[in-house]
């Protein structure tokens, strides 16, 4: 399937078209009320765009690819242009996943605006003097849980308020050492703060297939307040598009097509 056919199927080129079968029914015949889209996939030397296209066909899933702006990945306009031009030859959404604040300085605004979306998570918490706490690492050390939660919440809210995002990734994820207290730590008050900040900036909430976050209660609170959702596997391998947790919890929460964010032209505002 080439990009033009794909866009047509996906209803982008053709405007309001009927829901394509690609989205509502996967290869094993399961049926869903929502589009099967995985907007959080990374490519590597071993996991190429051709692998991803195979999976798209096999699993009936549409993909969005993201890459990190960083010295070791996409460091400037030339890199970003090459990345976009390469992916535009394929039927995928093209996104960027910054990890820390001040990343936009590397690029010209017009080039950033040609992306389909920006996804960011609050997992790399600045500690000052160029140091960071990476909460996704197994070794992430939390000495004082209350102090950590205060800092994590502050950073989360500052990401939601200040970064030019379309999708909030890895919502409610906790470092492994305190993850057993998930339901105690994610109080109504904390969850509502995140929802209010995301809503104020029109940011969609990722349902993350790797961490199985966020949980049903949070998704239902978001839904009630009109927020949109995306599915994200954060995979760099053949797990892309499996989406087992995403599909299950979306079904349990009664999510439908209109509850999902679909990237579109002009969504990136920098
Ligand atoms: Zn990622």
């Amino acid at each position: 399937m080439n990009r033009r056919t794909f866009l047509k199927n996906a209803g982008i080129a053709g405007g309001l078209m009927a829901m394509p079968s690609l989205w509502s029914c996967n290869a094993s015949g399961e049926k869903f009320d929502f589009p099967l889209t995985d907007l959080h996939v990374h490519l590597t030397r071993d996991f190429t765009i051709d692998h991803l296209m195979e999976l798209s066909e096999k699993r009936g899933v549409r993909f969005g690819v993201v890459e990190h702006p960083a010295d070791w990945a996409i460091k400037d306009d030339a890199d970003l242009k090459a990345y976009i031009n390469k992916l535009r030859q394929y039927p995928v959404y093209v996104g960027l996943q910054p990890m820390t604040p001040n990343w936009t300085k590397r690029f010209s605004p017009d080039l950033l605006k040609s992306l389909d979306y920006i996804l960011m998570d609050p997992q790399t918490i600045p500690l000052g003097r160029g140091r960071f706490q990476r909460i996704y690492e197994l070794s992430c050390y939390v000495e004082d849980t209350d102090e950590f939660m205060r800092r994590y919440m502050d950073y989360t809210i500052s990401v939601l308020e200040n970064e030019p995002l379309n999708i909030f990734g890895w919502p409610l994820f906790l470092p492994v050492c305190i993850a057993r207290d998930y339901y105690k730590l994610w109080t109504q008050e904390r969850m509502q703060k995140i929802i209010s900040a995301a809503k104020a900036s029109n940011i969609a909430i990722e349902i993350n297939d790797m961490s199985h976050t966020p949980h049903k209660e949070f998704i239902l609170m978001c839904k009630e307040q009109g927020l949109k959702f995306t599915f994200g596997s954060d995979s760099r391998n053949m797990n892309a598009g499996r989406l087992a947790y995403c599909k299950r919890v979306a079904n349990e929460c009664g999510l439908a097509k209109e509850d999902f964010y679909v990237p579109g032209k002009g969504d990136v505002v920098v």
Side-chain angles (χ1 to χ4, degrees), residues 140-161:
C140 173
Y141 195 85
V142 175
E143 186 166 320
D144 178 335
T145 304
D146 291 336
E147 182 276 338
F148 170 79
M149 287 305 290
R150 264 197 303 279
R151 219 158 26 81
Y152 186 29
M153 279 300 295
D154 286 351
Y155 181 56
T156 294
I157 299 302
S158 94
V159 165
L160 289 168
E161 286 180 346

mmCIF file of all heavy atoms in Angstrom, residues 140-161:
data_model
loop_
_atom_site.group_PDB
_atom_site.id
_atom_site.type_symbol
_atom_site.label_atom_id
_atom_site.label_comp_id
_atom_site.label_asym_id
_atom_site.label_seq_id
_atom_site.Cartn_x
_atom_site.Cartn_y
_atom_site.Cartn_z
ATOM 1 N N CYS A 140 16.516 3.895 39.358
ATOM 2 C CA CYS A 140 16.040 5.192 39.857
ATOM 3 C C CYS A 140 15.797 5.115 41.371
ATOM 4 O O CYS A 140 15.031 4.275 41.838
ATOM 5 C CB CYS A 140 14.760 5.592 39.128
ATOM 6 S SG CYS A 140 13.991 7.066 39.811
ATOM 7 N N TYR A 141 16.457 5.987 42.108
ATOM 8 C CA TYR A 141 16.419 5.910 43.570
ATOM 9 C C TYR A 141 15.490 6.979 44.138
ATOM 10 O O TYR A 141 15.644 8.158 43.833
ATOM 11 C CB TYR A 141 17.839 6.121 44.121
ATOM 12 C CG TYR A 141 17.980 5.715 45.558
ATOM 13 C CD1 TYR A 141 18.232 4.395 45.893
ATOM 14 C CD2 TYR A 141 17.840 6.660 46.572
ATOM 15 C CE1 TYR A 141 18.347 4.014 47.213
ATOM 16 C CE2 TYR A 141 17.956 6.291 47.901
ATOM 17 C CZ TYR A 141 18.210 4.965 48.219
ATOM 18 O OH TYR A 141 18.326 4.584 49.527
ATOM 19 N N VAL A 142 14.529 6.550 44.937
ATOM 20 C CA VAL A 142 13.626 7.500 45.582
ATOM 21 C C VAL A 142 13.820 7.398 47.083
ATOM 22 O O VAL A 142 13.485 6.389 47.701
ATOM 23 C CB VAL A 142 12.152 7.226 45.199
ATOM 24 C CG1 VAL A 142 11.216 8.139 45.971
ATOM 25 C CG2 VAL A 142 11.949 7.395 43.698
ATOM 26 N N GLU A 143 14.381 8.457 47.669
ATOM 27 C CA GLU A 143 14.660 8.421 49.107
ATOM 28 C C GLU A 143 13.425 8.787 49.910
ATOM 29 O O GLU A 143 13.092 8.139 50.902
ATOM 30 C CB GLU A 143 15.796 9.392 49.406
ATOM 31 C CG GLU A 143 16.260 9.326 50.833
ATOM 32 C CD GLU A 143 17.598 10.028 51.012
ATOM 33 O OE1 GLU A 143 18.472 9.896 50.126
ATOM 34 O OE2 GLU A 143 17.752 10.721 52.019
ATOM 35 N N ASP A 144 12.731 9.826 49.440
ATOM 36 C CA ASP A 144 11.571 10.343 50.169
ATOM 37 C C ASP A 144 10.418 10.439 49.168
ATOM 38 O O ASP A 144 10.436 11.284 48.274
ATOM 39 C CB ASP A 144 11.957 11.715 50.736
ATOM 40 C CG ASP A 144 10.810 12.385 51.468
ATOM 41 O OD1 ASP A 144 9.630 12.063 51.167
ATOM 42 O OD2 ASP A 144 11.076 13.240 52.321
ATOM 43 N N THR A 145 9.447 9.556 49.322
ATOM 44 C CA THR A 145 8.372 9.464 48.328
ATOM 45 C C THR A 145 7.583 10.772 48.204
ATOM 46 O O THR A 145 7.265 11.202 47.091
ATOM 47 C CB THR A 145 7.413 8.301 48.676
ATOM 48 O OG1 THR A 145 8.198 7.106 48.781
ATOM 49 C CG2 THR A 145 6.367 8.096 47.598
ATOM 50 N N ASP A 146 7.280 11.406 49.351
ATOM 51 C CA ASP A 146 6.500 12.661 49.291
ATOM 52 C C ASP A 146 7.260 13.747 48.542
ATOM 53 O O ASP A 146 6.700 14.469 47.720
ATOM 54 C CB ASP A 146 6.166 13.163 50.703
ATOM 55 C CG ASP A 146 5.163 12.234 51.375
ATOM 56 O OD1 ASP A 146 4.418 11.542 50.639
ATOM 57 O OD2 ASP A 146 5.140 12.188 52.610
ATOM 58 N N GLU A 147 8.535 13.847 48.836
ATOM 59 C CA GLU A 147 9.368 14.855 48.159
ATOM 60 C C GLU A 147 9.421 14.544 46.664
ATOM 61 O O GLU A 147 9.288 15.431 45.829
ATOM 62 C CB GLU A 147 10.782 14.849 48.780
ATOM 63 C CG GLU A 147 11.739 15.884 48.215
ATOM 64 C CD GLU A 147 12.464 15.463 46.940
ATOM 65 O OE1 GLU A 147 12.586 14.244 46.672
ATOM 66 O OE2 GLU A 147 12.889 16.352 46.193
ATOM 67 N N PHE A 148 9.574 13.264 46.329
ATOM 68 C CA PHE A 148 9.625 12.889 44.914
ATOM 69 C C PHE A 148 8.316 13.251 44.209
ATOM 70 O O PHE A 148 8.320 13.830 43.124
ATOM 71 C CB PHE A 148 9.897 11.386 44.737
ATOM 72 C CG PHE A 148 9.709 10.946 43.317
ATOM 73 C CD1 PHE A 148 10.701 11.180 42.364
ATOM 74 C CD2 PHE A 148 8.515 10.363 42.897
ATOM 75 C CE1 PHE A 148 10.503 10.830 41.036
ATOM 76 C CE2 PHE A 148 8.310 10.013 41.567
ATOM 77 C CZ PHE A 148 9.309 10.249 40.635
ATOM 78 N N MET A 149 7.194 12.910 44.836
ATOM 79 C CA MET A 149 5.896 13.169 44.196
ATOM 80 C C MET A 149 5.675 14.664 43.987
ATOM 81 O O MET A 149 5.114 15.080 42.974
ATOM 82 C CB MET A 149 4.746 12.557 45.011
ATOM 83 C CG MET A 149 4.660 11.041 44.938
ATOM 84 S SD MET A 149 4.542 10.336 43.260
ATOM 85 C CE MET A 149 2.902 10.836 42.747
ATOM 86 N N ARG A 150 6.104 15.471 44.949
ATOM 87 C CA ARG A 150 5.978 16.931 44.780
ATOM 88 C C ARG A 150 6.770 17.398 43.568
ATOM 89 O O ARG A 150 6.293 18.131 42.714
ATOM 90 C CB ARG A 150 6.495 17.655 46.032
ATOM 91 C CG ARG A 150 5.390 18.025 47.020
ATOM 92 C CD ARG A 150 5.864 19.074 48.022
ATOM 93 N NE ARG A 150 7.055 18.660 48.764
ATOM 94 C CZ ARG A 150 7.024 17.855 49.835
ATOM 95 N NH1 ARG A 150 5.883 17.376 50.280
ATOM 96 N NH2 ARG A 150 8.145 17.530 50.456
ATOM 97 N N ARG A 151 7.991 16.917 43.464
ATOM 98 C CA ARG A 151 8.876 17.322 42.362
ATOM 99 C C ARG A 151 8.352 16.792 41.023
ATOM 100 O O ARG A 151 8.344 17.472 40.011
ATOM 101 C CB ARG A 151 10.275 16.750 42.627
ATOM 102 C CG ARG A 151 11.405 17.657 42.275
ATOM 103 C CD ARG A 151 12.694 17.335 43.000
ATOM 104 N NE ARG A 151 12.882 15.979 43.448
ATOM 105 C CZ ARG A 151 13.298 14.967 42.687
ATOM 106 N NH1 ARG A 151 13.551 15.181 41.415
ATOM 107 N NH2 ARG A 151 13.465 13.762 43.189
ATOM 108 N N TYR A 152 7.888 15.556 41.023
ATOM 109 C CA TYR A 152 7.371 14.911 39.811
ATOM 110 C C TYR A 152 6.116 15.653 39.312
ATOM 111 O O TYR A 152 5.959 15.916 38.121
ATOM 112 C CB TYR A 152 7.058 13.452 40.151
ATOM 113 C CG TYR A 152 6.644 12.562 38.991
ATOM 114 C CD1 TYR A 152 7.081 12.797 37.691
ATOM 115 C CD2 TYR A 152 5.831 11.452 39.226
ATOM 116 C CE1 TYR A 152 6.696 11.946 36.659
ATOM 117 C CE2 TYR A 152 5.458 10.602 38.202
ATOM 118 C CZ TYR A 152 5.887 10.855 36.919
ATOM 119 O OH TYR A 152 5.515 10.018 35.891
ATOM 120 N N MET A 153 5.245 15.994 40.271
ATOM 121 C CA MET A 153 4.029 16.734 39.899
ATOM 122 C C MET A 153 4.399 18.110 39.338
ATOM 123 O O MET A 153 3.856 18.537 38.323
ATOM 124 C CB MET A 153 3.110 16.904 41.124
ATOM 125 C CG MET A 153 2.257 15.715 41.446
ATOM 126 S SD MET A 153 1.119 15.230 40.115
ATOM 127 C CE MET A 153 0.031 16.656 40.017
ATOM 128 N N ASP A 154 5.311 18.796 40.010
ATOM 129 C CA ASP A 154 5.712 20.136 39.530
ATOM 130 C C ASP A 154 6.248 20.058 38.105
ATOM 131 O O ASP A 154 5.898 20.867 37.251
ATOM 132 C CB ASP A 154 6.812 20.738 40.433
ATOM 133 C CG ASP A 154 6.245 21.206 41.762
ATOM 134 O OD1 ASP A 154 5.001 21.228 41.900
ATOM 135 O OD2 ASP A 154 7.045 21.527 42.662
ATOM 136 N N TYR A 155 7.102 19.061 37.867
ATOM 137 C CA TYR A 155 7.686 18.950 36.532
ATOM 138 C C TYR A 155 6.617 18.563 35.499
ATOM 139 O O TYR A 155 6.570 19.102 34.390
ATOM 140 C CB TYR A 155 8.839 17.939 36.526
ATOM 141 C CG TYR A 155 9.474 17.815 35.164
ATOM 142 C CD1 TYR A 155 9.986 18.938 34.513
ATOM 143 C CD2 TYR A 155 9.541 16.586 34.502
ATOM 144 C CE1 TYR A 155 10.540 18.846 33.248
ATOM 145 C CE2 TYR A 155 10.092 16.487 33.239
ATOM 146 C CZ TYR A 155 10.589 17.614 32.617
ATOM 147 O OH TYR A 155 11.131 17.523 31.358
ATOM 148 N N THR A 156 5.748 17.629 35.886
ATOM 149 C CA THR A 156 4.661 17.213 34.990
ATOM 150 C C THR A 156 3.820 18.420 34.562
ATOM 151 O O THR A 156 3.543 18.615 33.377
ATOM 152 C CB THR A 156 3.764 16.172 35.701
ATOM 153 O OG1 THR A 156 4.532 14.995 35.917
ATOM 154 C CG2 THR A 156 2.544 15.832 34.872
ATOM 155 N N ILE A 157 3.438 19.225 35.544
ATOM 156 C CA ILE A 157 2.587 20.382 35.235
ATOM 157 C C ILE A 157 3.363 21.387 34.372
ATOM 158 O O ILE A 157 2.821 21.953 33.430
ATOM 159 C CB ILE A 157 2.063 21.052 36.535
ATOM 160 C CG1 ILE A 157 1.217 20.049 37.340
ATOM 161 C CG2 ILE A 157 1.259 22.308 36.222
ATOM 162 C CD1 ILE A 157 0.017 19.445 36.625
ATOM 163 N N SER A 158 4.644 21.560 34.637
ATOM 164 C CA SER A 158 5.397 22.524 33.824
ATOM 165 C C SER A 158 5.549 22.020 32.380
ATOM 166 O O SER A 158 5.509 22.808 31.433
ATOM 167 C CB SER A 158 6.741 22.876 34.465
ATOM 168 O OG SER A 158 7.758 22.061 33.973
ATOM 169 N N VAL A 159 5.678 20.704 32.201
ATOM 170 C CA VAL A 159 5.713 20.151 30.832
ATOM 171 C C VAL A 159 4.379 20.424 30.131
ATOM 172 O O VAL A 159 4.336 20.898 28.991
ATOM 173 C CB VAL A 159 6.015 18.631 30.862
ATOM 174 C CG1 VAL A 159 5.689 17.969 29.524
ATOM 175 C CG2 VAL A 159 7.479 18.392 31.212
ATOM 176 N N LEU A 160 3.293 20.158 30.838
ATOM 177 C CA LEU A 160 1.967 20.329 30.226
ATOM 178 C C LEU A 160 1.672 21.809 29.931
ATOM 179 O O LEU A 160 1.021 22.137 28.939
ATOM 180 C CB LEU A 160 0.879 19.753 31.141
ATOM 181 C CG LEU A 160 0.859 18.227 31.251
ATOM 182 C CD1 LEU A 160 -0.047 17.778 32.392
ATOM 183 C CD2 LEU A 160 0.402 17.586 29.938
ATOM 184 N N GLU A 161 2.163 22.684 30.790
ATOM 185 C CA GLU A 161 1.847 24.111 30.600
ATOM 186 C C GLU A 161 2.779 24.805 29.612
ATOM 187 O O GLU A 161 2.367 25.723 28.912
ATOM 188 C CB GLU A 161 1.920 24.844 31.949
ATOM 189 C CG GLU A 161 0.728 24.529 32.838
ATOM 190 C CD GLU A 161 0.792 25.253 34.178
ATOM 191 O OE1 GLU A 161 1.870 25.787 34.536
ATOM 192 O OE2 GLU A 161 -0.248 25.255 34.874
#
